[in-house]
Amino acid sequence: SQTIHQWPATLVQPVGSPLSLECTVEGTSNPNLYWYRQAAGRGLQLLFYSVGIGQISSEVPQNLSASRPQDRQFILSSKKLLLSDSGFYLCAWSAGTGTEAFFGQGTRLTVV
Amino acid sequence: QQQVKQSPQSLIVQKGGISIINCAYENTAFDYFPWYQQFPGKGPALLIAIRPDVSEKKEGRFTISFNKSAKQFSLHIMDSQPGDSATYFCAATNSGGGADGLTFGKGTHLIIQP
C-alpha cells in the first residue's frame, strides 16, 4: 500500500533562517506531488506541484521554492523565512489527473 | 470556472442529528468529487468520493448526493457523533485537466454537541 511521510511535524524557526521540509512517498511510482499551505482555520492553498523529477510548477509567487530530486521525494525550501511564512504545510500525492490526492500529516511551521 | 463554493463555513449539530454540507461548482468538465475530513493538527483524509454517473453514494453514515444539472453536491452525515467533529472539505477535479490537481472548497468546521 502507498504511504506518504512528511517531516518534521513541528518547526520553530527565526526570521531570516533557511527552511527545508521533506516529503517522501512509498509504494507507488511517478506520482504527482503537491505542496499546500493552510493558514489557521482556513482552506488549502496550492503552492507547488510536480509531475516528474525536476519538473516544478508554482501556483503562488512567494518566498518559497520546491524541488523534486527523486521520483518520490519532494522538498519545500526557503533561503530566508518571513513571519508570513508561518502556517501548516501539507504534502500530498496523486496517481494522476482526475483522481484524489492523499495527504501527509503536515508540518506546523512557526516563524518567530 | 475553477471555483468550488462550500457552505456553511461552520455548523453545529446535536448528537444523533444529520449534518449537511453543500458545495457548488461552475466547471462542467469536473468529473470527480471527493470529500475530505481533517482533524486539528492532522492532514486531510479522503472520506468518500463520487463520479457524476450516479446521483448518490453511501458509505456507512456518510452519503454524497450529486445533482449534475444544478452543479451541486452535498455531504450528509447521519446519526452525527462527537467524533465527527472536524473540518470537511469538498473538492473537484477532471480527468482531462491539468496536473494542478483538486480544486477545494474553503471548508466547513463541524461541531457535534453531545
Side-chain angles (χ1 to χ4, degrees), chain B residues 11-70:
Chain B
L11 179 63
I12 299 175
V13 175
Q14 295 297 315
K15 178 182 176 182
I18 302 173
S19 304
I20 302 173
I21 303 170
N22 300 297
C23 285
Y25 64 97
E26 298 174 353
N27 186 351
T28 55
F30 285 149
D31 57 8
Y32 189 63
F33 303 88
W35 284 87
Y36 288 82
Q37 179 188 56
Q38 184 181 27
F39 294 108
K42 302 295 184 182
L46 180 65
L47 186 62
I48 187 173
I50 195 169
R51 293 196 182 274
D53 53 343
V54 296
S55 60
E56 186 176 281
K57 183 174 181 179
K58 183 176 181 179
E59 291 184 2
R61 295 185 294 108
F62 299 90
T63 299
I64 300 178
S65 297
F66 187 83
N67 186 329
K68 188 174 181 179
S69 61

Side-chain angles (χ1 to χ4, degrees), chain A residues 92-105:
Chain A
W93 74 273
S94 72
T97 59
T99 66
E100 63 273 345
F102 299 94
F103 287 84
Q105 289 302 290

